[in-house]
CSV table of all heavy atoms in Angstrom, one decimal:
chain,number,residue,atom,x,y,z
A,1,THR,N,-6.8,17.9,-6.0
A,1,THR,CA,-7.2,16.6,-6.5
A,1,THR,C,-6.3,15.4,-5.9
A,1,THR,O,-5.1,15.6,-5.7
A,1,THR,CB,-7.0,16.5,-8.0
A,1,THR,OG1,-7.8,17.6,-8.6
A,1,THR,CG2,-7.4,15.2,-8.6
A,2,THR,N,-7.0,14.4,-5.5
A,2,THR,CA,-6.3,13.2,-5.0
A,2,THR,C,-6.8,12.0,-5.7
A,2,THR,O,-7.9,12.0,-6.4
A,2,THR,CB,-6.6,13.0,-3.5
A,2,THR,OG1,-8.0,12.8,-3.3
A,2,THR,CG2,-6.1,14.2,-2.7
A,3,ILE,N,-6.1,10.9,-5.7
A,3,ILE,CA,-6.5,9.6,-6.3
A,3,ILE,C,-6.6,8.6,-5.2
A,3,ILE,O,-5.8,8.6,-4.2
A,3,ILE,CB,-5.4,9.2,-7.3
A,3,ILE,CG1,-6.0,8.0,-8.1
A,3,ILE,CG2,-4.1,8.9,-6.7
A,3,ILE,CD1,-5.1,7.7,-9.3
A,4,SER,N,-7.6,7.8,-5.2
A,4,SER,CA,-7.9,6.8,-4.2
A,4,SER,C,-7.5,5.4,-4.7
A,4,SER,O,-7.8,5.1,-5.8
A,4,SER,CB,-9.3,6.9,-3.7
A,4,SER,OG,-10.2,6.6,-4.8
A,5,ILE,N,-6.9,4.6,-3.8
A,5,ILE,CA,-6.5,3.3,-4.1
A,5,ILE,C,-7.1,2.3,-3.1
A,5,ILE,O,-7.0,2.5,-1.9
A,5,ILE,CB,-5.0,3.2,-4.2
A,5,ILE,CG1,-4.5,1.7,-4.6
A,5,ILE,CG2,-4.3,3.6,-2.9
A,5,ILE,CD1,-3.1,1.6,-4.9
A,6,ALA,N,-7.7,1.2,-3.6
A,6,ALA,CA,-8.2,0.1,-2.7
A,6,ALA,C,-7.1,-0.9,-2.6
A,6,ALA,O,-6.6,-1.4,-3.6
A,6,ALA,CB,-9.5,-0.4,-3.3
A,7,VAL,N,-6.8,-1.3,-1.4
A,7,VAL,CA,-5.7,-2.3,-1.1
A,7,VAL,C,-6.3,-3.3,-0.1
A,7,VAL,O,-7.1,-3.0,0.7
A,7,VAL,CB,-4.5,-1.6,-0.5
A,7,VAL,CG1,-3.4,-2.6,-0.2
A,7,VAL,CG2,-3.9,-0.6,-1.5
A,8,GLN,N,-5.9,-4.6,-0.3
A,8,GLN,CA,-6.3,-5.6,0.6
A,8,GLN,C,-5.9,-5.2,2.1
A,8,GLN,O,-4.8,-4.7,2.3
A,8,GLN,CB,-5.6,-6.9,0.3
A,8,GLN,CG,-6.1,-8.1,1.1
A,8,GLN,CD,-5.3,-9.4,0.7
A,8,GLN,OE1,-4.1,-9.3,0.4
A,8,GLN,NE2,-6.0,-10.5,0.8
A,9,LYS,N,-6.9,-5.4,3.0
A,9,LYS,CA,-6.7,-5.0,4.4
A,9,LYS,C,-5.5,-5.7,5.1
A,9,LYS,O,-4.8,-5.1,5.9
A,9,LYS,CB,-8.0,-5.2,5.1
A,9,LYS,CG,-7.9,-4.8,6.6
A,9,LYS,CD,-9.3,-4.9,7.2
A,9,LYS,CE,-9.2,-4.7,8.7
A,9,LYS,NZ,-8.6,-3.4,9.1
A,10,SER,N,-5.3,-7.0,4.8
A,10,SER,CA,-4.3,-7.7,5.5
A,10,SER,C,-3.9,-8.9,4.6
A,10,SER,O,-4.6,-9.3,3.7
A,10,SER,CB,-4.7,-8.2,6.9
A,10,SER,OG,-5.8,-9.1,6.7
A,11,GLY,N,-2.7,-9.5,4.9
A,11,GLY,CA,-2.3,-10.7,4.1
A,11,GLY,C,-1.1,-10.4,3.3
A,11,GLY,O,-0.5,-9.2,3.3
A,12,ARG,N,-0.6,-11.4,2.6
A,12,ARG,CA,0.7,-11.3,1.8
A,12,ARG,C,0.5,-10.3,0.7
A,12,ARG,O,1.5,-9.5,0.5
A,12,ARG,CB,1.0,-12.7,1.2
A,12,ARG,CG,2.4,-12.7,0.5
A,12,ARG,CD,2.7,-14.2,0.2
A,12,ARG,NE,1.8,-14.8,-0.7
A,12,ARG,CZ,2.0,-15.0,-2.0
A,12,ARG,NH1,3.2,-14.5,-2.5
A,12,ARG,NH2,1.1,-15.6,-2.8
A,13,LEU,N,-0.6,-10.2,0.0
A,13,LEU,CA,-0.8,-9.3,-1.0
A,13,LEU,C,-0.8,-7.8,-0.5
A,13,LEU,O,-0.2,-6.9,-1.1
A,13,LEU,CB,-2.1,-9.5,-1.8
A,13,LEU,CG,-2.5,-8.6,-2.9
A,13,LEU,CD1,-1.4,-8.6,-4.0
A,13,LEU,CD2,-3.9,-8.9,-3.5
A,14,SER,N,-1.4,-7.6,0.7
A,14,SER,CA,-1.4,-6.3,1.3
A,14,SER,C,0.0,-5.9,1.6
A,14,SER,O,0.4,-4.7,1.3
A,14,SER,CB,-2.2,-6.4,2.6
A,14,SER,OG,-2.1,-5.1,3.3
A,15,GLU,N,0.8,-6.7,2.2
A,15,GLU,CA,2.2,-6.4,2.7
A,15,GLU,C,3.0,-6.0,1.5
A,15,GLU,O,3.7,-5.0,1.5
A,15,GLU,CB,2.8,-7.6,3.4
A,15,GLU,CG,2.2,-7.9,4.7
A,15,GLU,CD,2.7,-9.1,5.4
A,15,GLU,OE1,3.6,-9.8,4.7
A,15,GLU,OE2,2.2,-9.5,6.4
A,16,LYS,N,3.0,-6.7,0.4
A,16,LYS,CA,3.8,-6.5,-0.8
A,16,LYS,C,3.3,-5.2,-1.5
A,16,LYS,O,4.1,-4.4,-2.0
A,16,LYS,CB,3.8,-7.7,-1.7
A,16,LYS,CG,4.6,-8.8,-1.2
A,16,LYS,CD,4.7,-10.0,-2.2
A,16,LYS,CE,5.6,-11.1,-1.7
A,16,LYS,NZ,7.0,-10.7,-1.6
A,17,SER,N,2.0,-5.0,-1.5
A,17,SER,CA,1.4,-3.8,-2.1
A,17,SER,C,1.9,-2.5,-1.4
A,17,SER,O,2.3,-1.6,-2.0
A,17,SER,CB,-0.1,-3.8,-2.1
A,17,SER,OG,-0.6,-5.0,-2.9
A,18,LEU,N,1.8,-2.6,-0.1
A,18,LEU,CA,2.2,-1.4,0.7
A,18,LEU,C,3.7,-1.2,0.7
A,18,LEU,O,4.2,0.0,0.7
A,18,LEU,CB,1.7,-1.6,2.2
A,18,LEU,CG,0.2,-1.7,2.3
A,18,LEU,CD1,-0.2,-1.8,3.8
A,18,LEU,CD2,-0.5,-0.5,1.7
A,19,ASP,N,4.5,-2.2,0.6
A,19,ASP,CA,5.9,-2.1,0.5
A,19,ASP,C,6.3,-1.4,-0.8
A,19,ASP,O,7.2,-0.5,-0.9
A,19,ASP,CB,6.6,-3.5,0.6
A,19,ASP,CG,6.7,-4.1,2.0
A,19,ASP,OD1,6.4,-3.3,2.9
A,19,ASP,OD2,7.0,-5.3,2.1
A,20,LEU,N,5.6,-1.8,-1.9
A,20,LEU,CA,5.8,-1.2,-3.2
A,20,LEU,C,5.5,0.3,-3.1
A,20,LEU,O,6.3,1.1,-3.6
A,20,LEU,CB,5.0,-1.8,-4.2
A,20,LEU,CG,5.0,-1.2,-5.6
A,20,LEU,CD1,6.4,-1.3,-6.2
A,20,LEU,CD2,4.0,-1.9,-6.6
A,21,ILE,N,4.4,0.7,-2.5
A,21,ILE,CA,4.0,2.1,-2.5
A,21,ILE,C,5.0,2.9,-1.6
A,21,ILE,O,5.4,4.0,-1.9
A,21,ILE,CB,2.6,2.2,-2.0
A,21,ILE,CG1,1.6,1.6,-3.1
A,21,ILE,CG2,2.2,3.7,-1.8
A,21,ILE,CD1,0.2,1.5,-2.7
A,22,ARG,N,5.4,2.3,-0.5
A,22,ARG,CA,6.4,3.0,0.3
A,22,ARG,C,7.7,3.2,-0.4
A,22,ARG,O,8.4,4.3,-0.2
A,22,ARG,CB,6.7,2.2,1.6
A,22,ARG,CG,5.6,2.3,2.7
A,22,ARG,CD,6.1,1.7,4.0
A,22,ARG,NE,5.1,1.7,5.0
A,22,ARG,CZ,4.3,0.6,5.2
A,22,ARG,NH1,4.5,-0.5,4.5
A,22,ARG,NH2,3.4,0.6,6.2
A,23,SER,N,8.1,2.3,-1.3
A,23,SER,CA,9.3,2.4,-2.0
A,23,SER,C,9.2,3.5,-3.0
A,23,SER,O,10.2,4.0,-3.6
A,23,SER,CB,9.6,1.1,-2.8
A,23,SER,OG,9.8,0.0,-1.9
A,24,CYS,N,8.0,4.0,-3.3
A,24,CYS,CA,7.8,5.1,-4.2
A,24,CYS,C,7.9,6.5,-3.5
A,24,CYS,O,7.5,7.5,-4.1
A,24,CYS,CB,6.4,5.0,-4.9
A,24,CYS,SG,6.3,3.6,-6.0
A,25,GLY,N,8.3,6.5,-2.3
A,25,GLY,CA,8.5,7.7,-1.5
A,25,GLY,C,7.2,8.2,-1.0
A,25,GLY,O,7.0,9.4,-0.7
A,26,ILE,N,6.2,7.3,-0.8
A,26,ILE,CA,4.9,7.7,-0.3
A,26,ILE,C,4.7,7.1,1.1
A,26,ILE,O,4.8,5.8,1.3
A,26,ILE,CB,3.8,7.2,-1.2
A,26,ILE,CG1,4.0,7.8,-2.6
A,26,ILE,CG2,2.4,7.5,-0.7
A,26,ILE,CD1,3.1,7.2,-3.7
A,27,ASP,N,4.4,7.9,2.1
A,27,ASP,CA,4.2,7.4,3.5
A,27,ASP,C,2.8,7.5,3.9
A,27,ASP,O,2.0,8.3,3.3
A,27,ASP,CB,5.1,8.2,4.4
A,27,ASP,CG,5.3,7.5,5.8
A,27,ASP,OD1,5.0,6.3,5.8
A,27,ASP,OD2,5.8,8.1,6.7
A,28,PHE,N,2.4,6.6,4.8
A,28,PHE,CA,1.0,6.6,5.3
A,28,PHE,C,0.9,5.8,6.5
A,28,PHE,O,1.8,5.0,6.9
A,28,PHE,CB,0.1,5.9,4.2
A,28,PHE,CG,0.7,4.6,3.7
A,28,PHE,CD1,0.4,3.4,4.3
A,28,PHE,CD2,1.6,4.6,2.6
A,28,PHE,CE1,0.9,2.2,3.8
A,28,PHE,CE2,2.2,3.4,2.2
A,28,PHE,CZ,1.8,2.2,2.8
A,29,ASN,N,-0.3,5.8,7.2
A,29,ASN,CA,-0.6,5.0,8.4
A,29,ASN,C,-1.2,3.8,7.9
A,29,ASN,O,-2.3,3.8,7.4
A,29,ASN,CB,-1.5,5.8,9.3
A,29,ASN,CG,-1.8,5.0,10.6
A,29,ASN,OD1,-1.2,4.0,10.8
A,29,ASN,ND2,-2.8,5.5,11.3
């Protein structure tokens, strides 16, 4: 089972969202 998350493709909201998720020990391309 996986969970899918929709994130803004680019922009300030995208950058902060992905920084938060990386801080949770989750890596991705």
Side-chain angles (χ1 to χ4, degrees):
T1 302
T2 62
I3 189 170
S4 57
I5 180 170
V7 179
Q8 185 183 35
K9 180 174 172 57
S10 60
R12 186 169 64 101
L13 179 61
S14 173
E15 292 172 2
K16 289 185 175 293
S17 299
L18 298 180
D19 285 346
L20 174 63
I21 294 172
R22 284 194 185 94
S23 297
C24 294
I26 301 171
D27 199 11
F28 50 89
N29 177 14

